[in-house]
Amino acid sequence: MTDRTRFPAEFLWGAATSAYQIEGSPLADGAGVSNWHRFSHRPGTVAHGDTGDLACDHYRRWRDDLQWMRRLGLSAYRFSIAWHRLFPDGRSGPNPKGLDFYQRLVDALNQAGIEPFITLHHWDMPAALEDLGGWAHRDCPQRFADYAHCLFRALAGRVRLFATLNEPWVIVHEGYLQGGHPPGLRSPAKARLAAHHLLLGHGLAVAAFRADGQGRIGLVVNLEPKHPASDRPEDQAAASRLDAYMNRQFLDPLWFGAYPDELAEIFGPDQVEFPAADWRLIRQPVDFLGINYYSRAVVRADPAHPPFYAQALPPQGECTAMGWEVYPAGLETCLLWVKDRYPGVPLYVTENGAAFDDPPPSAGRVADPRRTDYFRTHLRALHRAMAQGAPVQGYFAWSLLDNFEWTYGYAKRFGLIHVDFATQTRTLKDSGRFYQQVIESQGAILDDPPGGG
Ligand code: IFM
């Protein structure tokens, strides 16, 4: 690769979404109740009482949304399957109408020359499985693998890229340790079990895929450099605990068949031993890794914050509407770190993007220069990482559409396309136009000075 910013011709240019965040119609066509449907309907869980009942109404408007993908020039679209549409009670399925929705979407994407990239579990699951204990229960991995297996068979030959889990760290941290997401637990012991069972579910799904699937399968994790706030050994150790917990907890097991040592320090007696047979499943090779990148953390030791005894400092630089520091160099760092520590597989940047308080559409435009800058600087960082050998084969902007940002509801907008949630009108943002030009020029526009794009 040269100094100029050019991406290979076969590079996938995508945008990403997830089922609960965009689909709406959560109970349509025989779908079961999902954990997120139930959780968001509980007062006090989501800002402004928002729910995913309508979201972007994508379940009914998916054909229009596909036209937007074409307009953007996307060569790939990453989306997730709502597990509860296929297995309403988590056990019996598949529900033909649920499956049909995704088969039609996949066929239409293929016809449009847009590669479907499917995530099997992007946080929403049948509520009935959560009632059993969710990921903290030992049966959950097998239920997940059964659902995955059914999908592999139904979509064989039509989908080339499958990710088992999206951001297992968030599922564990928010759902089982901090209580902010369903099932709303605050239990270090359950958090450890959930993490292990998520990995086991991943391993069982990979085994099913090897038996009956076609294409490539991988895992999607969210990574964040953890920089110590000072040279003090306490701060260094604190940063390394958080690094182990967030960045290595789900990747070391796949490559090395073990959890990072720091987890025992953090979880003490809750860090239990697991059977050797689990490790054989977890350690199976994957065909790619998906990396979601948003920001970094500067960490200092803090005796008042068990079990990590660490705290992230308030960010100093420019922040997004989520309060996350804009730190493009961290994307380069993460990709090079993964290339060195977990070698041998292609990588995708499966999510990257920013929420900002955009002005409302005016004369068919949304002026969002900060998001354009975010994409420009992060895509340049991605290109630098590739120039240093990071084997990245595609990039997925988060997100195609403004959508339901979990406990923040509709207040945080990440889309390339603005959604007026009252009328469901879509408007391409300036950043969407910029991304369109990035794709069209295979990156050349990234060499232009800011303001030109
Ligand atoms: O919206 C989420 C997505 O579901 C998972 N990754 C981070 C995004 C922004 O918070």
Side-chain angles (χ1 to χ4, degrees), residues 193-238:
L193 285 175
H196 186 74
H197 293 155
L198 277 157
L199 282 167
L200 191 54
H202 159 84
L204 286 163
V206 171
F209 189 74
R210 299 293 176 228
D212 243 349
Q214 287 172 32
R216 299 195 288 156
I217 192 157
L219 174 71
V220 171
V221 290
N222 54 321
L223 301 180
E224 196 173 279
K226 303 290 186 188
H227 292 150
S230 79
D231 292 342
R232 292 187 321 145
E234 307 88 282
D235 288 341
Q236 309 256 344

Side-chain angles (χ1 to χ4, degrees), residues 136-322:
H137 193 279
R138 180 94 197 166
D139 279 354
C140 198
Q142 191 57 55
R143 300 281 82 80
F144 173 66
D146 291 347
Y147 145 70
H149 200 168
C150 159
L151 208 57
F152 297 148
R153 279 193 299 242
L155 297 177
R158 298 199 249 183
V159 175
R160 205 173 55 99
L161 291 165
F162 288 95
T164 51
L165 312 171
N166 180 71
E167 301 183 357
W169 179 80
V170 175
I171 299 174
V172 169
H173 185 68
E174 292 295 339
Y176 295 80
L177 193 73
Q178 298 285 312
H181 287 186
L185 299 179
R186 289 170 160 265
S187 159
K190 296 240 163 95
R192 282 309 299 134
L193 285 175
H196 186 74
H197 293 155
L198 277 157
L199 282 167
L200 191 54
H202 159 84
L204 286 163
V206 171
F209 189 74
R210 299 293 176 228
D212 243 349
Q214 287 172 32
R216 299 195 288 156
I217 192 157
L219 174 71
V220 171
V221 290
N222 54 321
L223 301 180
E224 196 173 279
K226 303 290 186 188
H227 292 150
S230 79
D231 292 342
R232 292 187 321 145
E234 307 88 282
D235 288 341
Q236 309 256 344
S240 127
R241 281 194 295 279
L242 289 193
D243 176 61
Y245 176 59
M246 183 168 182
N247 298 323
R248 286 177 275 133
Q249 175 172 204
F250 295 95
L251 293 180
D252 275 15
L254 265 63
W255 261 255
F256 313 129
Y259 288 111
D261 290 342
E262 291 94 332
L263 291 196
E265 248 173 76
I266 299 167
F267 289 103
D270 292 324
Q271 175 61 25
V272 289
E273 294 288 322
F274 297 103
D278 288 7
W279 287 108
R280 280 194 290 279
L281 281 162
I282 290 169
R283 209 180 167 175
Q284 286 172 90
V286 286
D287 302 316
F288 67 84
L289 275 181
I291 311 298
N292 294 355
Y293 176 79
Y294 289 92
S295 191
R296 65 147 175 185
V298 178
V299 177
R300 64 146 195 257
D302 186 344
H305 278 90
F308 303 106
Y309 299 101
Q311 243 329 37
L313 295 180
Q316 297 301 307
E318 189 200 354
C319 284
T320 70
M322 300 294 285

Side-chain angles (χ1 to χ4, degrees), residues 1-60:
M1 288 174 66
T2 64
D3 288 352
R4 290 180 320 151
T5 315
R6 297 291 180 281
F7 289 82
E10 62 284 3
F11 194 79
L12 287 186
W13 291 106
T17 62
S18 90
Y20 191 72
Q21 293 181 272
I22 64 162
E23 285 179 358
S25 307
L27 304 174
D29 297 332
V33 173
S34 78
N35 59 340
W36 265 96
H37 178 71
R38 188 167 64 180
F39 184 80
S40 64
H41 278 262
R42 220 169 265 158
T45 54
V46 175
H48 319 296
D50 290 345
T51 71
D53 285 3
L54 186 57
C56 306
D57 201 17
H58 173 81
Y59 192 76
R60 293 186 298 190

Side-chain angles (χ1 to χ4, degrees), residues 16 60 102 132 207 233 251 264 303 322 338 341-342 369 378 406 417 441:
R60 293 186 298 190
Y102 295 109
L132 289 179
L251 293 180
M322 300 294 285
V338 169
R341 188 173 174 89
Y342 308 108
H378 284 76
W406 308 111
I417 295 168
S441 68

Side-chain angles (χ1 to χ4, degrees), residues 21 122-123 166-167 294 324 351 398 405-406 414:
Q21 293 181 272
H122 195 127
W123 308 359
N166 180 71
E167 301 183 357
Y294 289 92
W324 300 344
E351 284 182 29
W398 184 268
E405 177 55 24
W406 308 111
F414 278 88

